[in-house]
Amino acid sequence: MLVETPPALTAEQFGRIADIVREDSGIILTEAKRGMLMARLNRRLRVLGLSGYGAYCTLLDGPDGRVERRNMLSAVTTNVTAFFREAHHFNTLTQQVLPPLIDIARKGGRVRLWSAACSSGEEPYSMAISVLEAFPEVARYDLLILATDIDPLMVEKAQAGVFSETSIQGLDPARLRTHFTRTGSSFEVRAPLRNMMRFAELNLHQEWPFSAGFDVIFCRNVVIYFDENARRRLWLRFADQLQADGHLFIGHSERLDGPASAAFRLAGPTHYISIARETGR
Ligand SMILES: C[S@@+](CC[C@H](N)C(=O)[O-])C[C@H]1O[C@@H](n2cnc3c(N)ncnc32)[C@H](O)[C@@H]1O
């Protein structure tokens, strides 16, 4: 039997690819990630009909490089997620965070929540389920959830709102019945959830096309892939984006550090409240 040898990735090519990934996304690829990178990029090489990484690096640096750089990011990002992952955040959302925000919305105010690395959508839809359960008449008020991710394939998937049996495992059966329609082995989110969501492709390290004014930001399990500078810069930008008393939720193995620490107080495990900005709400 003929066994095809996968193309080899030299140290120089690995370095070039790691530089591009870091430049474009802030994600650090250490030597330990080399095997993972090769496994994922070998697939890209096959799709593109390229024989090796020399040609791939030439493509990345050439005039058509932009398109492939996006595909490459899709290949290297880790998209693991789940409905109601780190459930204590959603309990806090329901019990502490949403009640005053619902009052603001009922009085005609604007309320905005943001899932800043939404992956395939389980996180922002869990936020939306929490909102709908606490505020069934939300459709009549100005409350929206923005869900963004750097990976265009993930944003597309999140926006489609169709989940497999594996994804919905662990979701409470009553919630499943209320918020999803089953078609064969797929589960599609119903309109009341969909209507409060907006989706967009967004790289956290580039310009953000909105001005300040979020009440809640979920940015969980993404800064673990960034270097210290990129992470600390991001915390400062979140401090800027949040209303005074706005809430930031981060991943279980992450911590808010650097100069932005002065702009937040710790309110619970990996839950921070912004103290810096005065907004005339
Ligand atoms: C492990 S998932 C976390 C998903 C979700 N927040 C959760 O905790 O379940 C990390 C996500 O971060 C996204 N990501 C990585 N770098 C990013 C960047 N620079 N800007 C925006 N999203 C990024 C990835 O595409 C991926 O979907």
Side-chain angles (χ1 to χ4, degrees), residues 208 219-220 222-224 228-242 248-251 254-261 263-264 272:
W208 299 346
C219 183
R220 308 185 311 157
V222 55
V223 303
I224 30 165
E228 184 179 287
N229 282 339
R231 185 180 71 227
R232 291 180 170 198
R233 234 184 359 255
L234 190 59
W235 297 147
L236 283 169
R237 293 180 80 190
F238 284 150
D240 241 25
Q241 284 295 326
L242 278 166
L248 174 65
F249 292 92
I250 67 176
E254 299 163 341
R255 72 195 162 90
L256 196 148
D257 59 349
S261 316
F264 289 94
Y272 298 84

Side-chain angles (χ1 to χ4, degrees), residues 137-193:
E137 67 277 29
V138 59
R140 301 211 301 268
Y141 298 94
D142 187 8
L143 184 155
L144 291 176
I145 300 173
L146 175 67
T148 63
D149 199 280
I150 194 174
D151 184 340
L153 296 178
M154 285 301 117
V155 176
E156 215 176 278
K157 198 162 182 285
Q159 185 149 27
V162 178
F163 295 93
S164 68
E165 273 176 355
T166 317
S167 307
I168 55 90
Q169 255 172 26
L171 194 58
D172 177 79
R175 281 181 167 152
L176 192 60
R177 278 194 303 277
T178 308
H179 302 292
F180 295 78
T181 304
R182 184 176 190 149
T183 317
S185 58
S186 304
F187 298 81
E188 184 170 354
V189 294
R190 295 211 171 120
L193 288 191

Side-chain angles (χ1 to χ4, degrees), residues 85-102:
R85 181 183 195 183
E86 296 171 46
H88 61 102
H89 283 165
F90 295 94
N91 296 337
T92 305
L93 188 66
T94 301
Q95 289 158 18
Q96 293 172 33
V97 178
L98 286 176
L101 294 179
I102 291 170

Side-chain angles (χ1 to χ4, degrees), residues 25 78-81 85 117 123 149-150 202-204 220-221:
S25 69
T78 299
N79 305 117
V80 177
T81 187
R85 181 183 195 183
E123 177 179 278
D149 199 280
I150 194 174
L202 182 88
N203 182 344
L204 289 169
R220 308 185 311 157
N221 308 302

Side-chain angles (χ1 to χ4, degrees), residues 20 24 58-71:
I20 292 175
D24 287 358
T58 306
L59 171 68
L60 291 175
D61 287 328
D64 296 330
R66 272 178 82 84
V67 176
E68 184 49 29
R69 281 161 85 130
R70 277 175 81 211
N71 288 323

Side-chain angles (χ1 to χ4, degrees), residues 14-37 40 72-73 75-78 150 203 205 221-233:
F14 175 73
R16 178 68 196 119
I17 289 174
D19 281 350
I20 292 175
V21 168
R22 184 180 186 151
E23 229 170 82
D24 287 358
S25 69
I27 296 171
I28 303 298
L29 292 176
T30 57
E31 188 57 38
K33 296 275 171 70
R34 192 177 170 134
M36 173 281 282
L37 184 71
R40 293 185 185 183
M72 182 169 75
L73 278 186
V76 301
T77 49
T78 299
I150 194 174
N203 182 344
H205 299 303
N221 308 302
V222 55
V223 303
I224 30 165
Y225 303 108
F226 299 163
D227 69 14
E228 184 179 287
N229 282 339
R231 185 180 71 227
R232 291 180 170 198
R233 234 184 359 255

